Coordinates of all heavy atoms in Angstrom, one line a residue:
Y386 N 9.5 30.7 2.8 CA 9.5 31.7 1.8 C 10.1 31.2 0.5 O 10.7 30.1 0.5 CB 10.3 33.0 2.3 CG 11.5 32.7 3.1 CD1 12.7 32.4 2.4 CD2 11.5 32.6 4.5 CE1 13.9 32.1 3.1 CE2 12.7 32.3 5.2 CZ 13.8 32.1 4.5 OH 15.0 31.8 5.2
L387 N 9.8 31.9 -0.5 CA 10.5 31.6 -1.8 C 11.1 32.9 -2.4 O 10.7 34.0 -2.1 CB 9.5 31.0 -2.8 CG 8.4 31.8 -3.3 CD1 8.7 32.7 -4.4 CD2 7.3 30.9 -3.8
G388 N 12.1 32.7 -3.2 CA 12.7 33.8 -4.0 C 12.7 33.4 -5.4 O 13.0 32.3 -5.8
S389 N 12.3 34.4 -6.3 CA 12.3 34.2 -7.7 C 12.5 35.5 -8.4 O 11.8 36.5 -8.0 CB 11.1 33.5 -8.2 OG 11.0 33.6 -9.6
V390 N 13.4 35.6 -9.4 CA 13.5 36.9 -10.1 C 12.6 37.0 -11.2 O 12.7 37.9 -12.0 CB 15.0 37.1 -10.5 CG1 15.9 37.2 -9.3 CG2 15.5 36.0 -11.4
I391 N 11.7 36.1 -11.4 CA 10.7 36.1 -12.4 C 9.4 36.8 -11.9 O 8.6 36.1 -11.1 CB 10.4 34.7 -13.0 CG1 11.7 34.1 -13.5 CG2 9.3 34.8 -14.2 CD1 11.5 32.6 -14.0
P392 N 9.1 38.1 -12.2 CA 8.0 38.8 -11.6 C 6.7 38.1 -11.8 O 5.9 38.1 -10.8 CB 8.0 40.1 -12.2 CG 9.4 40.3 -12.7 CD 9.9 38.9 -13.1
E393 N 6.4 37.4 -12.9 CA 5.1 36.8 -13.1 C 4.9 35.6 -12.1 O 3.8 35.4 -11.7 CB 4.8 36.4 -14.5 CG 5.6 35.3 -15.1 CD 5.1 34.8 -16.4 OE1 4.0 35.1 -16.9 OE2 5.8 34.0 -17.0
I394 N 6.0 35.0 -11.8 CA 5.8 33.9 -10.8 C 5.5 34.4 -9.4 O 4.7 33.9 -8.7 CB 7.1 33.0 -10.8 CG1 7.3 32.3 -12.2 CG2 7.0 31.9 -9.7 CD1 8.5 31.3 -12.3
V395 N 6.3 35.5 -9.0 CA 6.1 36.1 -7.7 C 4.6 36.6 -7.6 O 3.9 36.4 -6.6 CB 7.1 37.2 -7.5 CG1 6.8 38.0 -6.2 CG2 8.5 36.6 -7.5
T396 N 4.2 37.2 -8.7 CA 2.8 37.8 -8.7 C 1.8 36.7 -8.6 O 0.8 36.7 -7.8 CB 2.6 38.6 -10.0 OG1 3.6 39.6 -10.0 CG2 1.2 39.3 -10.0
A397 N 2.0 35.6 -9.4 CA 1.1 34.5 -9.4 C 1.0 33.8 -8.0 O -0.1 33.6 -7.5 CB 1.4 33.4 -10.4
V398 N 2.1 33.6 -7.4 CA 2.1 33.0 -6.1 C 1.4 33.9 -5.1 O 0.7 33.5 -4.2 CB 3.6 32.7 -5.6 CG1 3.7 32.3 -4.1 CG2 4.2 31.5 -6.4
T399 N 1.7 35.2 -5.2 CA 1.1 36.2 -4.2 C -0.4 36.2 -4.4 O -1.2 36.2 -3.5 CB 1.7 37.6 -4.5 OG1 3.1 37.5 -4.4 CG2 1.1 38.6 -3.5
D400 N -0.9 36.1 -5.7 CA -2.3 36.1 -6.0 C -3.0 34.8 -5.4 O -4.1 34.9 -4.8 CB -2.6 36.2 -7.5 CG -2.2 37.7 -8.0 OD1 -1.9 38.5 -7.1 OD2 -2.1 37.8 -9.2
I401 N -2.3 33.7 -5.6 CA -2.9 32.4 -5.1 C -3.0 32.6 -3.6 O -4.0 32.2 -3.0 CB -1.9 31.2 -5.5 CG1 -2.0 31.0 -7.0 CG2 -2.2 30.0 -4.6 CD1 -1.0 30.0 -7.5
Q402 N -2.0 33.1 -2.9 CA -2.0 33.3 -1.5 C -3.1 34.3 -1.1 O -3.9 34.0 -0.1 CB -0.6 33.8 -1.0 CG -0.5 33.7 0.5 CD 1.0 33.5 0.9 OE1 1.6 32.5 0.7 NE2 1.6 34.6 1.4
S403 N -3.3 35.3 -1.9 CA -4.3 36.3 -1.6 C -5.7 35.8 -1.6 O -6.6 36.2 -1.0 CB -4.2 37.6 -2.5 OG -4.8 37.3 -3.7
Q404 N -5.9 34.7 -2.5 CA -7.2 34.1 -2.6 C -7.4 32.9 -1.7 O -8.4 32.2 -1.8 CB -7.5 33.8 -4.1 CG -7.5 34.9 -5.0 CD -8.8 35.8 -4.8 OE1 -9.4 35.8 -3.8 NE2 -9.1 36.6 -5.8
S405 N -6.3 32.5 -1.0 CA -6.5 31.3 -0.2 C -6.2 31.5 1.3 O -7.1 31.5 2.1 CB -5.5 30.2 -0.7 OG -4.2 30.6 -0.9
T406 N -5.0 31.8 1.6 CA -4.6 32.0 3.1 C -4.4 33.4 3.5 O -4.3 33.7 4.7 CB -3.3 31.2 3.4 OG1 -2.3 31.7 2.5 CG2 -3.4 29.8 3.2
S407 N -4.4 34.4 2.5 CA -4.0 35.8 2.8 C -2.6 35.7 3.4 O -1.8 34.8 3.0 CB -5.0 36.4 3.8 OG -6.3 36.4 3.3
N408 N -2.2 36.7 4.2 CA -0.8 36.7 4.7 C -0.5 35.6 5.6 O -1.4 35.1 6.3 CB -0.6 38.1 5.4 CG -1.5 38.2 6.6 OD1 -2.6 38.7 6.5 ND2 -1.0 37.8 7.8
P409 N 0.8 35.3 5.8 CA 1.2 34.4 6.9 C 1.0 35.1 8.2 O 0.9 36.3 8.3 CB 2.6 34.0 6.6 CG 3.1 35.0 5.6 CD 1.9 35.6 4.9
N410 N 1.0 34.3 9.3 CA 0.7 34.8 10.6 C 1.6 36.0 11.0 O 2.8 35.9 10.9 CB 0.9 33.6 11.6 CG 0.8 34.0 13.0 OD1 1.6 34.7 13.6 ND2 -0.3 33.5 13.6
S411 N 1.0 37.1 11.5 CA 1.7 38.3 11.8 C 2.8 38.1 12.9 O 3.9 38.5 12.7 CB 0.8 39.4 12.1 OG 0.0 39.1 13.2
T412 N 2.4 37.4 13.9 CA 3.3 37.2 15.1 C 4.5 36.4 14.6 O 5.7 36.7 15.0 CB 2.6 36.5 16.2 OG1 1.4 37.2 16.4 CG2 3.4 36.4 17.5
A413 N 4.2 35.3 13.9 CA 5.3 34.4 13.4 C 6.2 35.1 12.5 O 7.4 34.9 12.5 CB 4.7 33.2 12.7
Q414 N 5.7 36.1 11.7 CA 6.6 36.9 10.8 C 7.6 37.7 11.7 O 8.8 37.8 11.3 CB 5.8 37.8 9.9 CG 5.0 37.0 8.8 CD 4.5 38.0 7.8 OE1 5.2 38.6 7.0 NE2 3.1 38.1 7.8
A415 N 7.1 38.3 12.7 CA 8.0 39.1 13.6 C 9.0 38.2 14.2 O 10.2 38.6 14.3 CB 7.1 39.8 14.6
A416 N 8.6 37.0 14.6 CA 9.6 36.1 15.2 C 10.6 35.7 14.1 O 11.8 35.6 14.4 CB 8.9 34.8 15.7
A417 N 10.2 35.5 12.9 CA 11.1 35.1 11.8 C 12.1 36.2 11.5 O 13.3 36.0 11.2 CB 10.3 34.7 10.6
V418 N 11.7 37.5 11.6 CA 12.6 38.6 11.4 C 13.8 38.5 12.4 O 15.0 38.6 12.1 CB 11.9 40.0 11.6 CG1 13.0 41.1 11.5 CG2 10.9 40.2 10.5
E419 N 13.4 38.2 13.7 CA 14.4 38.1 14.7 C 15.3 36.9 14.4 O 16.5 37.0 14.6 CB 13.8 38.0 16.1 CG 14.7 37.7 17.3 CD 15.8 38.8 17.5 OE1 15.6 39.9 17.1 OE2 16.9 38.5 18.1
A420 N 14.7 35.8 14.0 CA 15.5 34.6 13.7 C 16.5 34.9 12.7 O 17.7 34.6 12.9 CB 14.5 33.5 13.2
L421 N 16.2 35.6 11.6 CA 17.1 35.8 10.5 C 18.1 36.9 10.8 O 19.2 36.9 10.3 CB 16.3 36.1 9.2 CG 15.5 34.9 8.7 CD1 14.6 35.4 7.5 CD2 16.4 33.8 8.2

Side-chain angles (χ1 to χ4, degrees):
Y386 41 83
L387 65 80
S389 165
V390 295
I391 304 175
E393 69 168 347
I394 295 181
V395 173
T396 304
V398 168
T399 306
D400 291 348
I401 287 166
Q402 192 153 286
S403 80
Q404 296 290 18
S405 51
T406 55
S407 303
N408 60 273
N410 176 291
S411 57
T412 311
Q414 287 189 72
V418 172
E419 173 61 22
L421 294 170

